[in-house]
Amino acid sequence: QVTLKESGPVLVKPTETLTLTCTVSGFSLSNARMGVSWIRQPPGKALEWLAHIFSNDEKSYSTSLKSRLTISKDTSKSQVVLTMTNMDPVDTATYYCARIVRASGYVSDYWGQGTLVTVSS
Amino acid sequence: QSALTQPASVSGSPGQSITISCTGTSSDVGSYNLVSWYQQHPGKAPKLMIYEGSKRPSGVSNRFSGSKSGNTASLTISGLQAEDEADYYCCSYAGSSTPYVVFGGGTKLTVL
């Protein structure tokens, strides 16, 4: 059974750095066919892809947020970590991690429950 | 890369069929048969309903079907049921360089 679970702070202050952890089970981060994406959704708005990482440490970032994002993984812990620097109230959103399948066009076939992050002083 | 274009809302009565469109460009939807569709109920995570344009994951009702013509992909739901009321998002592969995938703006389906 594939599961993903996001964890991290629910509240961050403007200018702070956000660190989110995605803990996965039911598949291995060493599986070459699969990776993990981070996707966010501001309240009442659409989904926005942020970044992804694969077993060979291949990474990619949203063009608009690239300077603020870092994605990494710890295969032994089955965890993927996303950091976002210089947080702003517009970054308030539910942040999801999802398993992606490369051969199917990077489709997100399993999602975590999401974690709501509010940026406020 | 711009977001894919979806209608903001669609509606239908129980038992009817509806279609949600998803318009992209020749760089994404038009170039690959790799569109996926997600259903999202309020307060819940998105759920994969269609992938690779027309394939259904195990457990997804065959009332959901996907297709594509040119730069536009479509999701059709037949035999509408109350539980189908949700937001629906399309997503397309956009090539082997960032952003790799692009999402649509979402469509609110109301079952009357």
Side-chain angles (χ1 to χ4, degrees):
Chain A
Q1 179 189 3
V2 173
T3 64
L4 302 95
K5 186 170 185 178
E6 306 88 350
S7 58
V10 296
L11 179 66
V12 298
K13 292 181 168 54
T15 75
E16 288 186 339
T17 294
L18 171 68
T19 299
L20 295 172
T21 300
C22 175
T23 303
V24 310
S25 64
F27 72 101
S28 172
L29 294 178
S30 62
N31 187 323
R33 297 183 299 114
M34 297 165 185
V36 172
S37 274
W38 283 96
I39 296 155
R40 72 178 179 179
Q41 185 175 37
K45 296 188 176 181
L47 300 166
E48 177 186 16
W49 173 79
L50 299 177
H52 72 227
I53 189 167
F54 283 92
S55 61
N56 60 354
D57 219 35
E58 171 196 332
K59 305 169 188 175
S60 186
Y61 299 99
S62 162
T63 302
S64 61
L65 295 168
K66 182 180 176 117
S67 63
R68 300 173 52 207
L69 295 173
T70 302
I71 192 169
S72 62
K73 64 179 175 66
D74 185 331
T75 302
S76 65
K77 293 183 178 179
S78 295
Q79 292 181 333
V80 174
V81 175
L82 181 76
T83 63
M84 181 180 291
T85 61
N86 194 25
M87 293 292 284
D88 183 272
V90 300
D91 297 313
T92 293
T94 296
Y95 287 75
Y96 295 99
C97 60
R99 189 181 80 166
I100 55 175
V101 181
R102 190 196 299 266
S104 295
Y106 295 73
V107 64
S108 299
D109 61 348
Y110 290 90
W111 295 63
Q113 64 191 21
T115 184
L116 175 61
V117 178
T118 300
V119 184
S120 175
S121 54
Chain B
Q1 199 85 11
S2 301
L4 306 177
T5 300
Q6 298 181 234
S9 63
V10 298
S11 62
S13 299
Q16 287 185 333
S17 294
I18 63 94
T19 297
I20 299 172
S21 62
C22 169
T23 301
T25 70
S26 58
S27 296
D28 39 62
V29 176
S31 286
Y32 311 96
N33 201 20
L34 293 171
V35 173
S36 50
W37 289 90
Y38 302 89
Q39 177 191 66
Q40 186 179 36
H41 287 109
K44 301 295 186 181
K47 174 188 175 184
L48 178 64
M49 305 302 285
I50 296 287
Y51 68 102
E52 293 183 15
S54 60
K55 297 180 179 179
R56 281 187 307 275
S58 174
V60 171
S61 170
N62 59 9
R63 296 186 299 106
F64 292 82
S65 61
S67 62
K68 190 190 87 165
S69 177
N71 295 338
T72 299
S74 298
L75 173 71
T76 297
I77 308 173
S78 59
L80 267 182
Q81 298 179 1
E83 66 242 38
D84 298 333
E85 184 163 298
D87 293 326
Y88 291 84
Y89 292 91
C90 62
C91 180
S92 176
Y93 179 67
S96 57
S97 62
T98 195
Y100 287 87
V101 296
V102 59
F103 283 96
T107 298
K108 169 66 178 176
L109 169 61
T110 300
V111 180
L112 302 170

